[in-house]
Amino acid sequence: MSVYSHRPVVPGPQNRIIEMLDAIRAEFDQLVRDVYLNKTEKENIEHKMTTQLQEMHNFQQNLLEIERQQQAMKKQYEEEIARLRQQLEQAQVRAGHPPPPPPGSNSNNGNGNTNSPHPPPPHQQPQQQQQQQQQPPSIGPGSNYFGGIMNAHGNGNSQQQGPPGLMAPPQGGDHAVPPHYPSSSQAPPPPPPGSAPGYMNGSGQQGYGYPPRGGPSPGTPSSSHATPISNNDPAGTPKRQSASSMNGPPMPSAASGGPSGGPPPPPPGNNAMVAQRPKNQMGPSTPVGLADVDPDNVPPNMKVEGRDWFALFNPKTTRYLKVDLLHSIDHSSVVCCVKFSADGRWMAAGCNRATYIYDVSTSALSCVLQDDSVQKDGDLYIRSVCFSPDGKYLATGAEDKQIRIWDIERRQIRNVFRGHEQDIYSLDFSRDGRVIVSGSGDRTVRIWSMTEQKEMHCIPIQDLDQKDPGVTSVAISPDSRLVAAGSLDKMVRVWDIHTGQPLERLEGHKDSVYSVAFMPDGRTLVSGSLDKTIKMWQLGTNDGRSGYGVDRDRSKGPCKMTFTGHKDFVLSVACTPDGNWIVSGSKDRGVQFWDPRTGQTQFMLQGHKNSVISVAISPSGRPLFATGSGDNRARIWSYEPQPHRKC
């Protein structure tokens, strides 16, 4: 037996671990190689995709360039063809043969339109789009007057939910500015507002330019209004690039229908004019208004032009005024209303959530009035603003149904009037400063006492035969004894301001009334409507209870005169302090000055890129007026008399 003990030889545990680690390392190396191969393949695929995308982009650019070249060639050929056709027509006229009609065109249909298989030229398309948006949207509880705006006007804005002109600010497109209006069965939705509507965007694109409006400034006969932004126009009219396109397509010129070969004279009281036509053009003469005239083809003595605006004067009447732009003030939203202070020193502009007060002489911003206690979410358009006669206070009416009275010097709210159940569209101060009147989509006019800080009268419109008498505009007479209101049911109504008793119910408009204003004599009332007209009314006698009476020949009816010439909704009207002129703003983006004695328009002004929602006249006697538009701008203009000419 050996002295040593022998054990069997077996591999130690350490060697086994090393073998397992080697196996794991080999597997890991294999996975790393696989990952590297996959990564390389991925990079190759991504490189190929990038190369293909770049090739596709280059291909698109080439297509666009080819398309641009094709369009340029097409335009060149069209111009050359038009030139050759004109030469041919002239040669035929000289030879005594009438020129043939252009290829593919049919005869005139009698209203200046032709049945052509080809689409209208670009400068005519915006006007046609506007004609499809003539009816305002319904304004009822919960509706947003500015909401549909200026999508077009923005334009896209024809679907806004409030009265035209009161549209919401544009989010793109030709926005007309847009707010909300009382629901109306007779008012189909417009485009913001806005109206706007659709509101108009700041770029002047389509939006809603419908009318929110502010009440007349103290001491001035101008009235307040309510309008939308097309959807940004808060709803609005399609964007137009050139001056001529802003004014609508030029009307076809016409040959004379008079016995001497010249154009027949317009009927008395008609402010129409006849566009000049080429000598070789045949056919009867067609009278057209200033809004129909191509501004690029008018005599120099008929036109005044600024950097981004122009005015066309009526060749059928004596020229008494000259107009000029003094200040243009940009805002971040649709300008729903503008108003001057009684001394003419300040101008207020109501926008989204804030009211801005400017020095009229310098256009410097004096202060911003904004209620910080209001929820920050969503829009809150200031539809109407109005200074107190002493200039210390500013009343604002908004979509939250409240009337705020601001102490301007302290930038604080003095008090709030509550009671309306829908948006407030219009405000007006009495000249003695004791009373303020408001109009709302809840179909009421309310009279508030500034001294007692409470409601004096709530005047509901309860006519059974009217489907939607939502109130769009209110105005107080210069003697502070009457209050007038325009409404969606096409009516203008007048009440005794002290008793609330009804005095007048004026019928004649064919669509909603968006603005009312008293003339300085206090016996004449002016109204603007979605039927594209302005009417001047003479107030009549009542039963004597109010002690207010005006003589008139009732056999002729209350309407003294109707002014026609705008191409779209009349959203705002005002009167100059001397009573010599009536001023109107329209969704056709134009402002017109009218002579109330003759019914003739003095001039038509184009300068805004969207609906003119509000116009206001300085009551101080200085010849200034202001405009607010769905293009997010407020402008201050002068309308001084021509030298050596008396109004």
Side-chain angles (χ1 to χ4, degrees):
M1 183 174 180
S2 171
V3 295
Y4 298 99
S5 299
H6 296 281
R7 299 176 184 176
V9 179
V10 295
Q14 186 175 2
N15 294 336
R16 179 62 178 167
I17 291 174
I18 292 172
E19 290 177 359
M20 294 175 66
L21 289 175
D22 290 341
I24 293 172
R25 182 181 296 107
E27 186 175 355
F28 176 78
D29 291 342
Q30 181 62 38
L31 290 174
V32 169
R33 284 191 295 271
D34 292 343
V35 168
Y36 177 78
L37 292 175
N38 290 337
K39 181 179 179 181
T40 302
E41 185 176 358
K42 178 184 177 182
E43 290 176 348
N44 291 336
I45 293 174
E46 290 178 345
H47 178 71
K48 291 179 180 179
M49 289 179 63
T50 302
T51 302
Q52 291 175 353
L53 289 174
Q54 183 62 39
E55 291 177 353
M56 183 179 298
H57 177 74
N58 293 338
F59 181 69
Q60 290 176 337
Q61 292 298 320
N62 292 335
L63 281 179
L64 290 174
E65 181 62 27
I66 293 172
E67 185 176 354
R68 280 194 292 268
Q69 293 176 359
Q70 188 268 343
Q71 292 292 341
M73 293 174 63
K74 179 181 178 183
K75 181 178 179 181
Q76 180 180 357
Y77 284 126
E78 288 176 346
E79 291 175 350
E80 181 66 16
I81 291 172
R83 185 183 65 82
L84 294 174
R85 180 179 292 124
Q86 183 179 10
Q87 291 179 355
L88 177 61
E89 291 174 353
Q90 292 174 351
Q92 290 174 332
V93 169
R94 286 194 295 268
H97 302 289
S105 67
N106 295 328
S107 61
N108 194 294
N109 61 11
N111 16 359
N113 298 326
T114 56
N115 301 321
S116 170
H118 304 290
H123 69 276
Q124 292 184 5
Q125 292 173 358
Q127 182 70 19
Q128 294 176 348
Q129 294 171 6
Q130 276 187 319
Q131 292 173 353
Q132 297 172 359
Q133 302 171 358
Q134 293 301 314
Q135 295 298 333
S138 165
I139 308 170
S143 67
N144 182 354
Y145 186 61
F146 280 87
I149 293 164
M150 310 194 159
N151 51 19
H153 172 307
N155 244 352
N157 44 357
S158 65
Q159 304 303 327
Q160 61 197 29
Q161 294 183 354
L166 289 182
M167 299 175 158
Q171 302 303 326
D174 185 7
H175 117 189
V177 185
H180 249 116
Y181 238 56
S183 59
S184 168
S185 60
Q186 60 188 356
S195 57
Y199 285 66
M200 297 189 171
N201 53 24
S203 67
Q205 288 179 336
Q206 170 178 351
Y208 307 85
Y210 307 110
R213 305 163 186 188
S217 2
T220 176
S222 63
S223 75
S224 59
H225 323 278
T227 316
I229 289 180
S230 169
N231 37 349
N232 73 31
D233 209 333
T237 355
K239 176 179 182 182
R240 302 177 188 179
Q241 301 295 339
S242 66
S244 61
S245 64
M246 285 179 62
N247 199 28
M251 296 294 290
S253 53
S256 152
S260 62
N270 187 349
N271 63 329
M273 59 171 291
V274 178
Q276 294 181 350
R277 68 174 184 83
K279 293 181 179 179
N280 62 342
Q281 182 173 347
M282 302 300 177
S285 60
T286 303
V288 294
L290 289 180
D292 295 309
V293 177
D294 182 357
D296 295 330
N297 296 310
V298 298
N301 62 343
M302 181 182 162
K303 181 178 179 182
V304 174
E305 197 165 9
R307 185 176 63 85
D308 60 353
W309 63 273
F310 64 89
L312 298 182
F313 284 82
N314 189 352
K316 301 294 183 181
T317 186
T318 304
R319 181 168 168 179
Y320 293 107
L321 301 175
K322 59 179 181 177
V323 62
D324 197 8
L325 174 63
L326 301 183
H327 306 295
S328 185
I329 307 168
D330 291 332
H331 296 81
S332 59
S333 78
V334 170
V335 180
C336 302
C337 50
V338 290
K339 193 64 61 177
F340 286 96
S341 60
D343 59 7
R345 182 181 176 187
W346 309 103
M347 184 200 73
C351 300
N352 187 12
R353 308 187 71 88
T355 301
Y356 304 87
I357 298 180
Y358 299 94
D359 185 306
V360 170
S361 299
T362 64
S363 76
L365 179 63
S366 172
C367 68
V368 179
L369 304 178
Q370 185 169 359
D371 188 349
D372 295 328
S373 66
V374 176
Q375 260 186 328
K376 304 298 181 185
D377 299 336
D379 295 333
L380 181 63
Y381 285 91
I382 310 301
R383 308 273 182 81
S384 180
V385 295
C386 189
F387 284 94
S388 63
D390 58 11
K392 294 181 179 179
Y393 305 106
L394 184 78
T396 61
E399 296 178 314
D400 61 1
K401 312 169 189 176
Q402 298 182 21
I403 301 169
R404 294 172 175 82
I405 309 298
W406 294 84
D407 184 316
I408 298 175
E409 183 176 359
R410 297 181 179 180
R411 274 70 162 171
Q412 294 179 351
I413 297 176
R414 179 193 181 196
N415 58 289
V416 178
F417 292 141
R418 297 180 177 88
H420 279 297
E421 299 176 359
Q422 286 193 27
D423 302 0
I424 296 164
Y425 295 121
S426 182
L427 298 171
D428 195 12
F429 258 106
S430 63
R431 297 234 181 150
D432 57 16
R434 295 180 180 179
V435 169
I436 189 169
V437 174
S438 57
S440 166
D442 63 8
R443 310 179 182 187
T444 67
V445 172
R446 295 178 189 246
I447 302 172
W448 313 82
S449 170
M450 285 294 292
T451 55
E452 300 179 15
Q453 302 294 308
K454 68 177 185 180
E455 181 180 297
M456 294 171 53
H457 301 289
C458 175
I459 307 174
I461 302 178
Q462 299 174 325
D463 298 12
L464 299 179
D465 59 337
Q466 301 303 314
K467 296 182 179 179
D468 187 0
V471 178
T472 59
S473 177
V474 294
I476 298 177
S477 63
D479 61 5
S480 301
R481 299 173 66 184
L482 304 177
V483 57
S487 56
L488 293 179
D489 62 2
K490 314 176 189 178
M491 299 294 175
V492 177
R493 295 175 175 85
V494 182
W495 297 270
D496 184 297
I497 200 170
H498 300 295
T499 66
Q501 292 297 315
L503 302 178
E504 296 274 358
R505 186 174 184 267
L506 306 174
E507 303 182 44
H509 279 296
K510 298 179 180 177
D511 207 335
S512 302
V513 177
Y514 260 41
S515 182
V516 293
F518 275 96
M519 297 284 282
D521 62 8
R523 300 179 299 175
T524 309
L525 194 64
V526 176
S527 59
S529 168
L530 300 191
D531 65 9
K532 309 178 190 177
T533 71
I534 299 110
K535 288 184 180 290
M536 185 167 64
W537 312 85
Q538 182 175 348
L539 302 184
T541 58
N542 60 12
D543 61 7
R545 283 178 293 177
S546 69
Y548 182 89
V550 179
D551 294 331
R552 82 154 182 255
D553 182 359
R554 283 194 174 268
S555 64
K556 297 180 180 179
C559 184
K560 295 175 62 178
M561 192 174 297
T562 299
F563 305 86
T564 59
H566 277 295
K567 302 299 290 180
D568 213 323
F569 304 148
V570 177
L571 304 178
S572 182
V573 294
C575 304
T576 58
D578 57 13
N580 286 333
W581 305 103
I582 294 170
V583 185
S584 58
S586 169
K587 187 173 177 281
D588 65 14
R589 309 181 183 184
V591 174
Q592 295 202 37
F593 268 59
W594 309 85
D595 187 335
R597 295 160 294 192
T598 65
Q600 297 271 350
T601 183
Q602 171 75 185
F603 65 80
M604 184 273 295
L605 173 67
Q606 283 279 358
H608 284 289
K609 294 184 175 68
N610 210 319
S611 304
V612 178
I613 299 172
S614 179
V615 295
I617 307 294
S618 174
S620 66
R622 185 181 176 192
L624 300 177
F625 69 99
T627 54
S629 170
D631 64 5
N632 298 5
R633 283 181 175 176
R635 289 187 155 185
I636 300 175
W637 312 77
S638 67
Y639 63 98
E640 300 180 45
Q642 284 278 80
H644 312 300
R645 291 184 180 175
K646 296 182 180 180
C647 290

